[in-house]
Amino acid sequence: MTTYPLELLDLDDALTAEERGIRDVVRELVASRVRPYVADWYEQGRAPVRELAAEFGRVGLLGMHLTGYGCAGASATAYGLACLELEAGDSGVRSLASVQGSLAMYAIWRYGSEEQKQRWLPSMAAGTTVGCFGLTEPDHGSDPASMTTRARRDGTDWVLDGGKMWITNAPVADVAVIWARTDDGVRGFVVPMSTPGVTAREIRRKMSLRASSTGEIVLDDVRLPAEAQLPGAVGLKAPLSCLTEARFGIVWGALGAARDCLHTALEYATTREQFGRPIAGFQLTQAKLADMAVELQKGYLLALHLGRLADAGRLRPEQVSVGKLNNVREALAIARQCRTILGANGISGEYPLLRHANNLESVLTYEGTSEVHQLVIGQRLTGISAFTG
């Protein structure tokens, strides 16, 4: 009899009944709406983003940790568990919900005017409006302070020029939160994608996150009214706080990909026979499985601790960096190791292992590369910034 990977330490006992209930709803949704189709989405390089957004909205997944405006007001831990279940299906599917809720919606919820919140958040929570978050540029990823997208005053209007790159949901989005440099520092703007001068191009030939819509946004003399500016977003700390929200979901989400890989490898190893016995009976295979299970439990306990800190209002950005650095790095190692247990079958689209591994290569570097998170942690430990000089 095999043991489900996260049952090794009876970790369900650390959750409340409500948290388990939310997790189970998302798990069932992924089982019915994602798992049967995601291999084809990945192979085709496209997913039904708008349909998925509407289904996620119907069960309250979008912006679920936010309050008011049609949002569920769930705990941070419950949101993390939802991210875990979504990414057990596919990292691209989790990215859809994460970008919608923790980047685009959170930016409006935290920094927007009441008018902006009333206009956008209810339909975004319902999944009928899809959002994206434009910070990364073609030449400026880890160093957003060097962004070249500009916003200038023209009477009472703002005029934006520039470009954003690697923007999840951009090709199908209805609205974008765009960050631009102004004479008064970095500011955020709510930009309907139908605004003249805004164009989005789908990025093709990706080897990772293929079940996700990723694009480039070009802003050419885009004129916006004064009320498009996010009034509470002043300086680079505003978009960075949004990234912290998204990174928290990744801390949990990466564990979902790892759990799916380990569960697949366990099932395979107990049924695949070589030399007259299941390969799970060989010491080297059991050593691999044991080591991966230990790392998965450790990552889960780390995520749960961060979730409890977030729910208590005490979570700090560098603590999220610890979680993202560790959990994504270990999840990728687990996906690769599980692939070896399946041998040649591990590269087949019939199994999720290499799909998860390829996706995690992107998760490793988006929302802050491993090196960036190492430096964030290093700065906290030493009191010295290593980002410049």
Side-chain angles (χ1 to χ4, degrees):
M1 181 183 70
T2 60
T3 296
Y4 200 60
L6 285 174
E7 292 175 355
L8 185 64
L9 295 181
D10 295 331
L11 293 177
D12 261 15
D13 293 346
L15 304 177
T16 67
E18 181 180 6
E19 288 165 348
R20 289 193 293 270
I22 291 172
R23 177 204 62 191
D24 291 347
V25 167
V26 182
R27 184 178 292 178
E28 291 170 7
L29 177 64
V30 170
S32 64
R33 191 60 188 88
V34 176
R35 288 190 186 279
Y37 314 105
V38 69
D40 289 336
W41 297 343
Y42 190 89
E43 186 171 347
Q44 295 163 7
R46 64 181 71 248
V49 174
R50 298 194 68 89
E51 291 86 346
L52 285 173
E55 293 193 39
F56 292 171
R58 277 195 289 273
V59 297
L61 278 179
L62 302 177
M64 62 180 287
H65 59 308
L66 307 179
T67 55
Y69 309 99
C71 301
S75 69
T77 301
Y79 169 62
L81 289 163
C83 288
L84 187 154
E85 296 301 331
L86 288 171
E87 195 147 353
D90 190 82
S91 300
V93 173
R94 196 267 308 146
S95 293
L96 161 62
S98 184
V99 168
Q100 176 90 345
S102 289
L103 289 178
M105 290 178 66
Y106 178 78
I108 297 170
W109 181 84
R110 173 80 182 272
Y111 299 110
S113 66
E114 185 61 27
E115 180 184 359
Q116 289 168 336
K117 295 174 187 178
Q118 293 286 356
R119 178 182 178 187
W120 295 108
L121 291 181
S123 62
M124 294 177 80
T128 55
T129 294
V130 175
C132 63
F133 185 87
L135 180 63
T136 299
E137 297 186 353
D139 297 319
H140 304 285
S142 296
D143 183 18
S146 298
M147 71 174 69
T148 56
T149 297
R150 299 283 304 186
R152 58 180 173 83
R153 287 279 194 182
D154 186 13
T156 60
D157 291 345
W158 288 96
V159 178
L160 274 62
D161 287 283
K164 302 296 179 177
M165 193 69 171
W166 301 111
I167 309 303
T168 298
N169 298 346
V172 297
D174 302 292
V175 63
V177 174
I178 298 290
W179 301 92
R181 184 175 300 283
T182 74
D183 291 340
D184 299 319
V186 172
R187 303 280 181 165
F189 299 87
V190 182
V191 183
M193 295 296 284
S194 59
T195 306
V198 179
T199 55
R201 177 184 67 87
E202 182 99 26
I203 296 174
R204 297 293 187 187
R205 305 181 70 178
K206 297 182 298 181
M207 304 302 289
S208 179
L209 294 178
R210 290 175 56 78
S212 175
S213 180
T214 311
E216 176 185 12
I217 298 175
V218 176
L219 306 156
D220 183 13
D221 204 32
V222 176
R223 182 172 293 273
L224 300 169
E227 54 268 25
Q229 182 190 336
L230 292 171
V234 180
L236 199 58
K237 286 186 177 180
L240 293 182
S241 73
C242 300
L243 292 180
T244 298
E245 288 289 309
R247 290 164 178 166
F248 174 80
I250 292 170
V251 171
W252 287 88
L255 298 174
R259 187 196 69 193
D260 194 50
C261 289
L262 184 51
H263 183 62
T264 300
L266 274 167
E267 288 191 332
Y268 185 89
T270 54
T271 57
R272 170 74 166 178
E273 291 192 1
Q274 292 290 282
F275 306 104
R277 63 190 302 192
I279 62 174
F282 292 104
Q283 292 180 2
L284 289 176
T285 302
Q286 289 199 6
K288 291 179 180 181
L289 294 170
D291 285 346
M292 289 187 291
V294 168
E295 292 305 322
L296 181 61
Q297 317 299 304
K298 287 159 61 177
Y300 186 92
L301 289 169
L302 172 57
L304 184 60
H305 175 62
L306 297 182
R308 298 305 185 213
L309 288 175
D311 287 327
R314 297 192 289 116
L315 183 63
R316 301 193 302 269
E318 70 272 11
Q319 294 171 327
V320 179
S321 287
V322 172
K324 183 177 186 294
L325 175 65
N326 181 81
N327 285 9
V328 180
R329 190 163 58 186
E330 294 305 322
L332 180 56
I334 287 171
R336 290 169 172 168
Q337 186 74 289
C338 286
R339 206 290 300 170
T340 70
I341 292 175
L342 270 70
N345 282 328
I347 73 168
S348 169
E350 296 300 313
Y351 298 92
L353 306 182
L354 205 55
R355 172 170 56 81
H356 281 309
N358 284 351
N359 285 338
L360 287 167
E361 289 287 355
S362 290
V363 180
L364 190 71
T365 54
Y366 73 20
E367 313 292 358
T369 65
S370 291
E371 293 82 359
V372 164
H373 291 296
Q374 287 172 318
L375 297 184
V376 169
I377 297 166
Q379 182 174 349
R380 176 68 180 187
L381 291 173
T382 65
I384 302 170
S385 174
F387 284 99
T388 59

